[in-house]
Amino acid sequence: SSLEAMRWLCSVGCDLGLINSNGHSVLHKSAQRGNSDVCDWLLGSSSSSASSHRSCLDLLSLVGPDADGCSPSDLAGMGGFHALAVSLVKAEMCLASECWRRNQT
């Protein structure tokens, strides 16, 4: 499965925080393809193992807009993955709020 592949890539030291020339992170690509289990794992919302990786990923850069201004939730919605898009909007808002709070202190 895609999730098993992601876990393996992380276990061998792949940097899951990279952004390609289109501005896509691994979260953008997972959302675009409707891989909700991978999105959840990357965001740490459904997997305890993902929580340990949360600090090694710059999650805020993963949810940012791509070169066309699209966030992962936008790509999920455009792909017809509406439940995933709603879930990602919530995660994006939480991460943005967290970043804002950190900058206020």
Side-chain angles (χ1 to χ4, degrees):
S1 78
S2 296
L3 181 55
E4 290 172 5
M6 294 304 298
R7 286 181 175 150
W8 179 80
L9 288 169
C10 192
S11 75
V12 297
C14 287
D15 183 357
L16 301 181
L18 296 176
I19 308 296
N20 72 13
S21 61
N22 296 326
H24 285 184
S25 66
V26 67
L27 185 62
H28 285 81
K29 292 300 187 186
S30 297
Q32 190 176 44
R33 289 166 176 76
N35 290 322
S36 58
D37 55 345
V38 173
C39 292
D40 288 345
W41 182 76
L42 288 166
L43 294 168
S45 62
S46 69
S47 168
S48 59
S49 65
S51 297
S52 66
H53 300 297
R54 187 178 180 115
S55 62
C56 74
L57 297 174
D58 181 2
L59 292 179
L60 295 175
S61 69
L62 292 180
V63 300
D66 65 12
D68 294 322
C70 296
S71 65
S73 61
D74 296 326
L75 296 174
M78 287 186 278
F81 307 107
H82 301 292
L84 177 57
V86 169
S87 174
L88 287 170
V89 165
K90 291 176 184 175
E92 291 162 1
M93 289 181 357
C94 285
L95 290 169
S97 293
E98 180 180 321
C99 180
W100 182 81
R101 278 193 301 274
R102 286 181 186 176
N103 286 332
Q104 295 302 308
T105 58

